Amino acid sequence: PEVICRLPHLKRLDLSRNALDGLPDCIGGLQDLVSLDLWSNDIASLPDDIADLRALRFLDMRVIQLEEGEIERIRELVPWAETYFSPPCNCGMEGCRLQVERWMLKVGCWRSWRSWP
């Protein structure tokens, strides 16, 4: 939502598990943002304005099915940030993201995946 862009001094933004399909173009205005958690959403790409987030140190996009080219593009836009991605999936299974989440709960690694800064 665009309302996020009215918080220029926001340091940490957790939008995980919200079925978001994108971010507003104004996201680059969050100049103090250090951590952006987009884990487990339906985002296919990020706006180019993400490159304006010079304070960004952590970007979590795990459990999002991104194309390999998009992963590289994001890494090039924010090379100073630690980025986290799930490997691309070509299983074609409906609800693949949910299968990954269920597996993580079953093997008990949910906490370890969610414990980064």
Side-chain angles (χ1 to χ4, degrees), residues 96-114:
C96 179
R97 182 181 78 227
L98 295 177
Q99 296 299 326
V100 170
E101 289 180 12
R102 286 187 195 124
W103 175 82
M104 289 167 50
L105 285 171
K106 183 177 178 180
V107 299
C109 65
W110 186 267
R111 287 193 139 193
S112 65
W113 272 53
R114 301 301 298 142

Side-chain angles (χ1 to χ4, degrees), residues 84-102:
Y84 302 88
F85 301 94
S86 294
C89 177
N90 61 3
C91 71
M93 184 171 62
E94 181 84 21
C96 179
R97 182 181 78 227
L98 295 177
Q99 296 299 326
V100 170
E101 289 180 12
R102 286 187 195 124

Side-chain angles (χ1 to χ4, degrees), residues 1 11 14-16 30 39 42 48 51 55 69 72 101 105 108 112 115:
K11 298 221 181 268
D14 185 344
L15 297 172
S16 61
L30 301 178
W39 188 84
D42 297 323
D48 290 340
E72 290 308 312
E101 289 180 12
L105 285 171
S112 65
S115 65

